Structures are given as structure tokens and as C-alpha cells.
Amino acid sequence: MTKFVYTFGGKTAEGKADMKNLLGGKGANLAEMCLLGLPVPAGLTITTECCTAYYENGCQLPAGLMDEVWKGVANVEKIMGMKYDDAENPLLVSCRSGARSSMPGMMDTVLNIGLSSKTIPGMLKKTNNPRFVYDSYRRLIMMYADVVMEKSEGIEPADGKGIRKQLDDMLDAYKEEHGYKSDTDLTADDLQKLAEDFKRKVKEVLGTEFPDDAKAQMEGGIKAVFKSWNGKKAVSYRKIEGIPDDWGTAVNVQAMVFGNMGDTSATGVAFTRNPATGDNQFYGEWLINAQGEDVVAGIRTPNPLNDDTKNEQNKHMHSMQELMPETYKELCEIRTILEKNYHDMLDIEFTIQDGKLYMLQCRVGKRTGVAALTMAMDMLKEGLIDESEVVMRISPAQLDELLHPILDSSDEKKHEVLAKGLPAGPGGAVGVIALTSEKAKEYQAAGIKNILVREETNPEDVEGMRAADGILTARGGMTSHAALVARGWGKCCIVGCDAVKIEMERTSVSTNEYGKKKVNVEEIGTVTIGGKVFHEGDLLSLNGSKGWVYDEEVKMINATENPLFQQFMKLVDKFRKMGVRTNADNPEDAQKAIDFGAEGIGLFRIEHMFYGENSEVPLEKLRNMILADTLEARKAALAELEPYVRESAKGTLKVMDGKPLTFRLMDPPLHEFVPQTEEKQREVAKARGLDFEKLHARIEGMHEVNPMMGLRGVRLGIIYPEITEMQFRALFSATVELMKEGFHPQLEIMVPLTINAAELKHQKALANRVKEEVEAKYGTKFNYKFGTMIEIPRAALVANQIAEVAEFFSFGTNDLTQMTFGFSRDDVNAIVKTYVDEKIIPADPFNNFDRECVGELVKIGIERGRATRPELKCGVCGEHGGDPTAAEFFYKNGMTYVSCSPFRVPVARLAAAQAAIKEAREK
Ligand code: PEP
Ligand code: MG
């Protein structure tokens, strides 16, 4: 028979810390603390496997479980010197949940189990403290009715009608009636009377009696904890945290110790180091004469644990260090023992019963990004952990947090979230609403922080996006234009926020004041967010890491200027084996990426020179090229465009001197660059002396039903070879000119959206001819690498043939995901959301790399490519290049490098290092 019950207590235990999967975090750590000889009330842990069996069994406890439990209880009785359900010397227990990975407050707990008309007299005699006994009893009734009799029975009362709330209201009413201010004013008689009233209320509301039988209470408690694994809160928390539904929770049944036995009793919660700053100070809170729930539930304001925990708000309150110096000293010793054993910062719960200290819980504590960094570097110095462990200690998300100014999470809690969208660009932003790019630029020029709010963004918005401090769009997904660009700039951005509705119309002009600055506000429209109407100039705060929008000012904090960060990144590179490049297409971003440690550029999108600052002239030339209706006219326009492409390439090649730079030939459908509205088309026609009807017809003629699968990528270069030729000439000339100036350009060119080797051969033939021409013109020979993107499933499958022409592969996982799923990158957001909610797919594949199929194609692509060309260099330049959860997959499958936006570079370096460390540890 499977063993479902593991006991602990009296300095021994059947479990230990590394048995979390079976015993849950709490159970495993209680066992470990016993093995460390710490004072832990004895108890038993019912395994997570039992929880799974319970659910498989149609919510029935497995046969024989209760016998095993009673055997375990006998062990507890022996250690504690008390007996469960005994009239003379009764033992009371708590029943608590404990999943593999902690889900704070998401599941249920029942305390004081075992109090009944049979055991109460014994308790009274034993403690000689009726107030305490009846206080414990009324707490048991409240918790048991709430957790076991209501929640676990699936009763869903209307808001405010839950049994817990009704009993709480009775307690408040009783206090008010008697003129009591605090719970501690209630006398033993009051509490005894309240307990009887509570029981009547429970019967009245729930239709069943509160069980006056200790044995029944025990079984009810255990079942209720199992049930709470599938409670609403727990289910949504698991979804957010990505915790699998089939893990199940363990149940810990543990002898009660009481912090509410009077003024020599207390309870507290502490962190072995400061979880916000990482400082090496014991940090915590405690309450005299209270039970644990009083501290966490915020019913009473807790006192500071010690001098280090005192602040402006609580400095007048007494600390444990002052009031119970001996016990505090003992707790400090435990702190040291625990840190030495776990080599980490721990979050602990303790209770003092009549002067004696007990440990009720310890677990590795949650911490901010700054704290994680500070602690890891400190612990390295203290010899608690080694260098590889330091690298493992900071999660990619925590590192990301360090790179962006963020909303202050403690201040954030004080405000209500107005709307939620997709967290496309991390960090935080606070500013006034700008509804157009022009307005965003105007605000920026006036030094006013602003948030660009748009239906969606298009290339014409780029300057406004640059000028804005944050971006909020109603539509779009994680790889939408706004998201991509914003992430590249490290800009806070929320996309796909359904609650945003924009209405544009011109109305009045007024003057508004921001601090001391006055600006004219032209009412050009309004935006409704979550039912509230806002105007330009109204304030919003964005949490781009979570996708949350506020309509109030939330405080910002900046965590970047930490010298520890530099030291940490040095350690990271010591362990990293996979390369990290960046996606950048201008000198500034390239420089930023180098500063963040990029080793090259993995993707320079040539078409980006036609967006944003200084793009007017080249865009004009590009349009001439697109709108040309003869080959001659097109060639003439291309000749005028070429110098701009050359100069743009030179600028970034210079910054990247000596480092590889992969240019990608122009990729998007050309119609993206021509004016779409009739108004704009008329403007262009007029400016160029063209016939509007003809121009309009030409643009209409370019219209495609499925532009993502139409004339784009390499197809452009095959239909219009002169476009590719111009790009080759510009890039080759840029390279030779720089060589002549003494630079060391490392040119790489790749062809997008390839489906077979023939396409590449076609383009390579052009390249060969242009190369000869350029070499002849400048009288200098040069080298470059010719490669391709792999972003269509077919290309991955014929990678062996493609590698005969391509010297390197770069996996465009954005398109590869689009083409594998048949999900349009630009439109599929709402569908994906429903798919994820309905569990049809586990996550948005544009955001979370799909290892199963897109990954399989990547694997096949690398394997087949290298079968032909063993030294083939392979990189990823889709957005997944910056996805830390995908890094391990890429590393394990032999990727040479990942390439991501500049601000993701440190995160990618960290993820790559962690993948290498994990592999070494597995070996
Ligand atoms: C890709 O498809 O992954 C890619 C990098 O190219 P783009 O996003 O420009 O289509
Ligand atoms: Mg692509």
C-alpha cells in the first residue's frame, strides 16, 4: 500500500527538505527543521499523492487513510504528552495546506481542531485560562464553518453573505453593543456566549450543526484542505504562476501551540534578511497574545520584531528584542542555523507559548529584484553560496526589473487597477494622455511625461512612441509593432487592452496646467477606459511588466544604478556558453546593446530606416520606387535610395566595429509604405504632380487579401531583383568604404522568408555579380557571409538543401510561429486569449515559445542544416530570442546565439548562463 502519512517531531522526521514534491513545501521544511533540532510542534504530513488520489477517487479519501492518520496522531500524542479527543488532557491540532511551490494565502487552514464539549472542560482545567479556551473555540467555529462547511461544500454565497463574514459581523456587533474597542476586551463569558451564538447561526445559515466530535472535525479538516486545492483563488493563482493543476497539495496536521495564552505568549512572521532591499538584517513583525492569522490578516497592526525593523510608523511600538530579549536571542540563533542549512533567505513563522518558542514554518522567502541581487552577492562573500549559485539566484524577471524604472509596488497596492492589457514592454510609466504622435512630441518638447494612447500603432507613430514615456493600445499582441518597438527601446508598453475605446474628433482648445507648465490642449478626441472618459492631458500610470493601467499617479522607483549589477553580469558571462546578440537598426540602439553586453547584431531590419526620425527623405525615395510603373523609373528611384541605405548601414557598422552585423534584406509588404487614406494619397499626388486617380489605382492594385503571406520577404527580391541588387550594392559599398577608413566591418546578409534553396541561389547569383562590381569599383576585395532566415516550416524541413547555399541560419520564430499555427501575428490576439482561457493551448505562442512544434521545427532545421554544413552558425532573432524560458531549449539544441532587443540582452545573457549551469548540474 502507498504510504500517505509522514510524521515529524521531537528532533526526528520521516521527511526532509528535498521531499517537497511529495510533502509540499511546508511539510518538507517542517521535517527539515525537526532534523536540525529546532523546536517544532510534532505533527504529520499527508502527501500530495494522497490529494491526487482523493481527486481521482471522486473526492473520497483513499481507503485506510484515516487509520494511517490516527497512527500518526498517536506519535504526535507521545511526543507532545497529550491525547487527541481526551477529556482530561486534550491535544488540539491545526490542519494546513502546503503545495510543492508556495501559494501564499490561496488555500485554506483550520486551527484549534479538537475542541468539543468533551474536551473543553479538560482544556479549562489544564490551562486555567477560560478566556483563552473560549477564544480558541470561537475561532475554530468561524474557520471550520467557513472552510469545511461552506467553501469545501461548494456553497457560493452572495457577496457579503458568506458565513465567515456573518460571524465576523456578529462579533463586531457584540463588541459595539458592549462598548469594546478591541478583540482583547472580550471576556471569557463574552466569548463563551459568542461561541454558542455562532453555532446557532451556523446551523441557521448552513443547515447543519457544527460537529461536536473531535474525530469528525479532523476528517472534515483534511478533506477541506484537499478541496481548497480547487478553490477559486487557488485555481486562478496557479494559472498566473503556471503551476500545474495535477500537483495537488499536501495536508499538515500539527499539534497546536498558542500565541494567544496571555502576555507571555506571542506570534510572529520574519524574514532572515530584508526582502525589499536585501540588507542583511533580521526583519519581521510580531504580536503579543495573538494567533498567526492576526498578523497576516492585518486585523491588528503588528509590532516591529527588532530595532532594524522599526520605521516612522511603528517606532513607538515595543519590539520583541525589547520585551522578550532571551527568546529573541534564541530566534536569532535559529535564523543563523536556518540560513546556514538552506544557504538562502528564509521566511519564517513562529509562536511563543507561555515563554517557549516554537517554529511553525520556514520557506525560501520571496524578494524583489534588488534584494535578490544584493543577497546573492552578499552570500557569495559570506561563503554561503558559490558563483554558479549566485547566477542561479536571480530570475530573469528579477533582472528585468532592475533594468527598467518601475512602479513602486507598495504604492501600487494603494490604487485600484482600472484596466488590464498585455504586458508588452516592461517597466512603469506615469504621464498624461497623448492621443496622437504629434501631441506626444509636443509634450516631450515641453518636458511633460506622457502616455501615447492609440487604437493600434503603425509606422507613422514611431516618433510619437519615441517621445512617449509609455504606450497603451487597444489592439495588438505581444509581437505587434508597438510591442516590438517599445521593447526595443526599453519602453513601458501595454497592448491589446480591450477596455480602451478611442473616439477622435476635433473640438475646443483650452489651456491646462501641469505643475508650473502651461500648454494648449486641443480637444481632438476622448478615450474611454473601463467605462471612464479621459481627455488628452489626463493622467495615467502603466505597469508594463504586468499590463495594468491606473488612472492615478503611482510612485516610480529606479533600480538600475547598482554597481552590484555589473559585478553580477561578469559572473554570468563566466558560465555562459551560448552567444547573445541584439536586434538593432540604428547606431544608438546598437551602442546601448553593446553597453548591455551584446556580442553582435543578429537582426538589422533594413526597412526600419523608413520609420521615425530623419526618415522623410528616404521614405519619399522608397515611395517613388514603389509607385514607379516602369523598370526604368524604378531603377532611377532605387539609385536615389541607395546612398541612404549605404549611409544607414555605415552608421551602425561603425558602432559595431569588429563585431558581426546581420542585415536582413527588406521584408515587409511594400504597400505598408504607401499612403493608405484618400486624403494622404491626394496630398502625395499633388506634391508630385501625379494624377490622383492613377496613383490611387496603383496603390489599390497592390492590395493583397493576405499580405503576411503575399509579396514580402525574398519574394520581393525575386519579383523585383533590382530591389535586392540595390541593397547588396549599398551594403557592400558601406563595407568597403569603412575598410578603407580603417574599420573592421563584419558583414552578414540574410534573406527573409525563404522556402527553398532555389530562392537563395537566385539571390546569391545577384550578390556575386554585385560583389564583383563593387570590388572592381573600389579596387578592394572583401568578405561577407550569406545566410538565410528560417521562418517558414518548409524551410526547416529542407534545411539540408538550403545549407548548401546559406552559410548561416537565423530562425525567425515570429513568422515561424505564425506559419506553424496559422495564427496571424497581427490579428489573433482575441482568439489566443480565449484559447488560453479554455486551455486549448497552454499559452500565447508568440510570447511563450512553443517547444512542442515550433521547437521541433527549429530542432529539425538545425540538425538538417548541420548535416550538410557541420559548422553552420544558427541563431534566433524572433522575439523568443529574448524569452528566458526558451533559452534552455535553444541552448540544448545547439543554437550558436540568441538575438533580442537591447534591453533584453542582460536577461538573455543570464538565461543562457543558467541553461549552461543547469546542464552541468544535471551531468
Ligand atoms: C521573425 O519573423 O521572427 C523575424 C525576426 O522577422 P520579423 O519579425 O521582422 O518578421
Ligand atoms: Mg519574419
Side-chain angles (χ1 to χ4, degrees), residues 605 664 667 712 752-753 789 791 812-816 825:
R605 293 176 166 103
R664 196 244 332 248
D667 183 25
R712 59 176 284 228
L753 229 68
M789 294 190 69
E791 45 187 351
T813 49
N814 301 335
D815 275 310
L816 193 58
R825 286 164 70 168

Side-chain angles (χ1 to χ4, degrees), residues 367-370 396-406 545 559-560:
R367 60 203 73 179
T368 64
V370 193
Q398 285 170 327
L399 190 71
D400 197 35
E401 206 184 299
L402 293 171
L403 298 170
H404 299 270
I406 50 170
S545 312
T560 31

Side-chain angles (χ1 to χ4, degrees), residues 653-654 657-658 734-745:
L653 274 167
K654 243 188 218 175
D657 194 36
T735 302
V736 179
E737 287 180 14
L738 284 174
M739 282 165 64
K740 287 188 173 257
E741 289 172 35
F743 288 95
H744 313 83

Side-chain angles (χ1 to χ4, degrees), residues 412-677:
E412 218 176 333
K413 285 193 196 114
K414 297 179 195 147
H415 303 271
E416 204 173 315
V417 179
L418 174 68
K420 291 183 181 175
L422 298 173
V430 179
V432 298
I433 295 173
L435 291 174
T436 60
S437 279
E438 287 69 43
K439 187 53 90 181
K441 285 189 279 180
E442 194 184 313
Y443 281 141
Q444 187 201 31
I448 298 163
K449 299 244 178 250
N450 69 89
I451 311 258
L452 179 64
V453 184
R454 302 284 282 155
E455 196 71 46
E456 62 200 348
T457 58
N458 59 41
E460 283 159 36
D461 282 331
V462 168
E463 279 182 59
M465 292 169 71
R466 203 40 143 176
D469 296 277
I471 299 153
L472 173 64
T473 74
R475 283 193 258 151
M478 297 293 284
T479 57
S480 73
H481 186 72
L484 230 118
V485 172
R487 218 170 297 140
W489 291 335
K491 196 153 284 197
C492 167
C493 173
I494 298 173
V495 299
C497 184
D498 309 335
V500 171
K501 306 266 176 304
I502 297 173
E503 264 179 68
M504 297 299 261
E505 59 179 316
R506 250 162 236 281
T507 50
S508 62
V509 177
S510 61
T511 303
N512 219 332
E513 254 182 75
Y514 305 103
K516 291 196 171 61
K517 299 187 187 83
K518 277 194 176 175
V519 274
N520 284 333
V521 176
E522 184 185 9
E523 280 270 354
I524 58 152
T526 56
V527 51
T528 310
I529 310 178
K532 275 192 180 176
V533 180
F534 299 90
H535 303 262
E536 276 197 327
D538 290 345
L539 189 128
L540 292 182
S541 298
L542 307 185
N543 180 336
S545 312
K546 294 219 168 90
W548 295 351
V549 182
Y550 300 86
D551 60 346
E552 291 164 314
E553 178 163 2
V554 181
K555 266 195 217 136
M556 301 262 291
I557 51 172
N558 201 335
T560 31
E561 303 103 35
N562 192 337
L564 283 181
F565 173 75
Q566 303 299 339
Q567 292 171 30
F568 174 73
M569 290 312 294
K570 265 203 191 120
L571 283 183
V572 164
D573 282 345
K574 219 165 150 175
F575 292 94
R576 176 169 63 89
K577 294 189 188 136
M578 185 164 63
V580 176
R581 293 197 188 184
T582 191
N583 295 355
D585 16 64
N586 60 60
E588 297 77 47
D589 288 352
Q591 186 57 55
K592 200 180 303 148
I594 291 178
D595 295 343
F596 278 136
E599 295 157 324
I601 288 181
L603 174 62
F604 180 113
R605 293 176 166 103
I606 291 184
E607 63 272 11
H608 276 195
M609 64 177 286
F610 304 114
Y611 304 150
E613 224 177 328
N614 303 327
S615 67
E616 291 84 1
V617 184
L619 181 60
E620 168 92 17
K621 311 268 176 215
L622 180 74
R623 280 185 176 162
N624 288 345
M625 186 275 285
I626 298 169
L627 297 173
D629 41 16
T630 63
L631 178 63
E632 287 69 44
R634 190 155 49 246
K635 282 193 167 168
L638 281 166
E640 284 187 32
L641 184 55
E642 190 187 307
Y644 291 93
V645 178
R646 187 182 63 229
E647 290 312 309
S648 157
K650 270 174 91 174
T652 306
L653 274 167
K654 243 188 218 175
V655 172
M656 297 306 292
D657 194 36
K659 296 187 176 71
L661 197 176
T662 313
F663 289 94
R664 196 244 332 248
L665 297 179
M666 268 171 57
D667 183 25
L670 291 182
H671 77 252
E672 277 194 10
F673 296 102
V674 291
Q676 299 298 325
T677 60

